[in-house]
């Protein structure tokens, strides 16, 4: 800009200050902008469209640095050319000034306009159309084409131009980057587990440290109704971190389906793309260097010639021969000396000599200072006996290798080395590479061994104490259970209905149905007596009469004459129960001296054995129900008896003490064999229906299987329970057996016994049943298989009886 342009510019600014137009805005007061709007040019509609434009413009002026100091300078006309631009500089010179100044004024105004447009264009961004490039420079400056970054400072006092420019700016689209007060703050706790906030009303904190409250949750009925009305319920997943339901997109659902189908999650990923040859397989035709080939590359190798001639001489001398034809297997003496064997076999069995130990830092000619002994240590080493010295030499420091003298102990060390080689042990350690899977037995799949109990079907609730014992009648319709609450309950197995209850007031240790299908009788061990009862209205009249004849035959007048061989010293009395007990079906009461722990029936249903807490031979008694007689089979027993059992097919009687199981022949009155389970404390035992196998449970968590035809030692020992085993039981119809433990679980096994005596029994673990609760370190106390179905019934310390099918 020339000197004339600057002078004209100052004149226009002075004229504008002296005679301000009506549309021009003036600055009043420091830091404030008052807009004097003309009634004709401005209307209420403009104000309505722009809102409270006065306050907005004032805030924007303050934000742009249009403060009090600059406002006063502008009002007084003291601003410099570089700090302020009048509105006339942007709109061009007025008509009056152009007429007065003529051609000189027009030229100067053009220069001024160019400077203003250049300054306006400097605020535009790169790559956009500037006001200088447009045809109409003044209109481009006002319309705001390519000037998205203009501020109110660029327009000076021309507020109308600033309003027009603001209307041309694009609207701001609020996206993810926008800050909206309506959005709920997201959970910002990071990787902190959401379970930590289960007991608090909030789920995290926002950026200001304020709590993010947990959203309100509805009950299950509201959730169900909402899901029924929501068509996108199957597309919704729960976001536990933010406590909200997120709708899955089509792409996310496609990824989930592809993962379930075993395909690549990304549908656009091609896993069968062509191989990229990073290192080309084509041979390079041009050599790497242009050097001529050497003469040796054209001549045969002399080293290969020597090797070939060596082989030729060996063939001529007979040292290399053609292998002879295979003449069959050769046998060698395993214990023969290696020198007597053939050359190939001797070389193959050669033992490597033991290696010499590597030298240490102390053996160096220039060892570190910490390895050098002091004068006291040297004197102590010299005075010590050679056998008591820790080392055979004293470390010495020689400055150079040249100063090292000859080694005086060379011959002694060579001699010791020869002794080591001579006395080295010569032994071949043969190892076999076996696959552990080949050693493991090939067991069948449990799914192929069905049916077996796998799920809980029914719970019989009613007892208030521990249920110690259960028993099923031969028909499989009724169940008896005895508990610590002093009651015996009769249950209908199919429905779980309690048909009858007998209350005795004492702990019921054992209940047992008579195995004979012709009668309906059961025995129960209550305190120190055994009661025999016939449940009323449980069978037809014919079976009822047969049962009463069996139980009450001993009370007949002629029955006492047959008791010639009865031991009068036995503290046992067969009594008629009181009338109150007879009314509920109890027919016989057998009183004993000690508490009765177990009752076991013989397979024919006339004999039964009891086990009492008495020490000695009187703890095991055998009773005949039809004659009301009691026998003591043992005068003396070694150890405390834990369990007794009748053999299902032979006249054998099994008695389990604390560590042994003795089998007696009652017909011959002699000991057959003694089984040695190898456990510390036996808890229970049972015999297979075929009679050749016995399982024994113990309190030290171990179950042992015995094959009576094989050995008195266990055929298989299984320890899968974590607590003591209370009961073991065979199934009478299916190849199954079960173990009940104090850890609250029941383990079901497949135990197949083959008719072929050369084939061992097959034992396969099938299922672990868990449902009983552990109370006072007691879990499942008794278990029993159903006589006709692959069902299992169990009784626990939690007072419940459960049916597993």
């Amino acid at each position: 800009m020339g000197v004339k342009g600057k002078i004209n510019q100052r004149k226009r600014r002075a004229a504008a200050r002296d005679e301000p137009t009506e549309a021009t805005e003036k600055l009043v007061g420091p830091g404030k902008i008052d807009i004097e709007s003309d009634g004709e040019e401005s209307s209420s509609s403009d104000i309505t469209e722009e809102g409270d434009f006065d306050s907005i413009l004032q805030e924007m002026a303050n934000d742009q640095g249009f403060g009090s100091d600059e406002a006063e300078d502008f009002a007084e006309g003291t601003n410099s050319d570089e700090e302020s631009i009048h509105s006339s500089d942007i709109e061009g010179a007025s008509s009056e000034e152009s007429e007065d100044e003529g051609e000189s004024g027009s030229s100067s105004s053009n220069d001024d306009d160019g400077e203003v447009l250049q300054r306006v264009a400097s605020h535009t961004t790169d790559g956009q159309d500037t006001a200088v490039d447009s045809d109409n420079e003044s209109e481009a400056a006002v319309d705001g084409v390519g000037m998205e970054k203009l501020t109110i400072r660029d327009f000076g006092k021309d507020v109308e131009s600033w309003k027009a420019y603001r209307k041309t700016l694009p609207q701001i689209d609020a996206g993810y980057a926008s800050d909206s007060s309506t959005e709920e703050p997201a959970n910002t706790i990071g990787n902190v587990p959401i379970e930590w906030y289960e007991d608090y009303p909030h789920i995290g904190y926002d950026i200001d440290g304020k709590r993010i409250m947990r959203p309100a949750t509805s009950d299950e009925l509201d959730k169900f109704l909402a899901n029924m009305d929501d068509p996108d319920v199957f597309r919704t997943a729960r976001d536990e971190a933010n406590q909200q339901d997120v709708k899955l997109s089509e792409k996310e659902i496609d990824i989930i389906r592809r993962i379930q189908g075993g395909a690549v999650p990304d549908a656009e990923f091609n896993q069968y793309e062509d191989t990229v040859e990073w290192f080309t397989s084509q041979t390079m035709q041009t050599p790497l260097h242009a050097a001529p080939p050497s003469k040796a590359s054209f001549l045969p190798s002399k080293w290969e010639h020597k090797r070939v001639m060596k082989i030729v001489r060996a063939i001529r001398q007979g040292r290399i021969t053609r292998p002879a034809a295979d003449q069959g297997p050769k046998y060698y003496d395993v214990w023969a000396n290696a020198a007597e064997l053939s050359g190939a076999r001797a070389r193959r069995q050669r033992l490597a000599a033991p290696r010499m130990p590597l030298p240490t830092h102390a053996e160096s000619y220039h060892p570190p200072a910490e390895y050098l002994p002091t004068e006291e240590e040297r004197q102590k080493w010299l005075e010590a006996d050679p056998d008591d010295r820790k080392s055979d030499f004293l470390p010495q420091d020689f400055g150079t290798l040249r100063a090292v003298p000859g080694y005086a102990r060379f011959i002694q060390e060579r001699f010791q080395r020869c002794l080591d080689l001579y006395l080295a042990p010569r032994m071949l350690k043969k190892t076999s590479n076996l696959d552990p899977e080949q050693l493991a037995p090939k067991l069948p799949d449990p799914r192929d061994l069905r049916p077996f109990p796998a799920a809980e079907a029914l719970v019989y609730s009613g007892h208030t104490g521990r249920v110690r014992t259960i028993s099923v009648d031969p028909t499989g319709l009724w169940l008896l259970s005895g508990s610590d609450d002093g009651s015996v309950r009769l249950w209908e197995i199919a429905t779980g209905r309690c048909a009858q209850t007998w209350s005795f007031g004492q702990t019921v240790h054992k209940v047992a149905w008579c195995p004979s299908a012709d009668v309906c009788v059961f025995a129960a061990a209550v305190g120190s007596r055994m009661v025999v009862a016939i449940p009323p209205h449980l069978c037809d009249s014919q079976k009822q009469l047969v049962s009463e004849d069996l139980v009450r035959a001993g009370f007949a007048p002629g029955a006492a004459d047959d008791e010639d061989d009865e031991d009068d010293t036995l503290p046992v009395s067969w009594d008629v129960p009181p009338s109150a007990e007879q009314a509920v079906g109890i027919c016989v009461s057998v009183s004993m001296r000690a508490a009765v722990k177990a009752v076991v029936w013989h397979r024919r249903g006339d004999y039964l054995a009891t086990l009492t807490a008495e020490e000695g031979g009187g703890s095991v008694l055998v009773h005949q129900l039809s004659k009301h007689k009691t026998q003591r089979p043992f005068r003396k027993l070694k150890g405390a008896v834990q369990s007794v059992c009748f053999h299902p097919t032979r006249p054998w009687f099994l008695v389990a003490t604390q560590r042994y199981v003795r089998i007696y022949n009652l017909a011959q009155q002699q000991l057959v064999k003694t089984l040695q389970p190898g456990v510390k404390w036996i808890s229970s035992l049972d015999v297979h229906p075929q009679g050749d196998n016995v399982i024994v449970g113990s309190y030290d968590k171990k179950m042992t299987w015995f094959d009576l035809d094989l050995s008195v030692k266990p055929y298989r020992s299984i320890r899968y329970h974590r607590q003591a085993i209370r009961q073991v039981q065979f199934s009478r119809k299916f190849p199954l057996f079960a173990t009940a433990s104090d850890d609250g679980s029941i383990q079901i096994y497949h135990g197949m016994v083959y008719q072929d005596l050369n084939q061992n029994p097959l034992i396969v673990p099938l299922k672990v049943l868990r449902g009983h609760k552990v109370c006072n370190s007691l879990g499942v106390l008794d278990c029993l298989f159903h006589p006709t179905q692959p069902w299992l019934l169990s009784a626990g310390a939690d007072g419940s009886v459960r049916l597993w099918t």
Side-chain angles (χ1 to χ4, degrees), residues 651-710:
W652 289 357
F653 188 68
L654 286 80
V655 179
T657 58
Q658 185 173 344
R659 295 196 176 187
Y660 301 98
V661 177
R662 293 182 173 86
I663 303 177
Y664 297 92
N665 192 330
L666 297 179
Q668 300 178 1
Q669 297 184 0
Q670 64 181 5
L671 177 65
V672 178
K673 62 177 62 178
T674 301
L675 304 180
Q676 302 175 10
V679 297
K680 296 180 180 180
W681 200 300
I682 296 175
S683 62
S684 58
L685 81 158
D686 195 15
V687 185
H688 194 269
Q690 296 181 6
D692 294 333
N693 296 271
V694 177
I695 55 176
V696 178
S698 64
Y699 290 110
D700 51 355
K701 316 170 190 177
K702 187 184 295 184
M703 189 274 296
T704 55
W705 178 294
F706 288 91
D707 191 346
L708 299 182
D709 297 333
L710 186 63

Side-chain angles (χ1 to χ4, degrees), residues 200-213:
Y200 298 95
H202 60 282
I203 60 173
Y205 300 89
D206 58 5
I207 194 173
D208 296 329
K210 297 180 180 180
R211 295 182 178 179
I212 302 175
M213 304 308 294

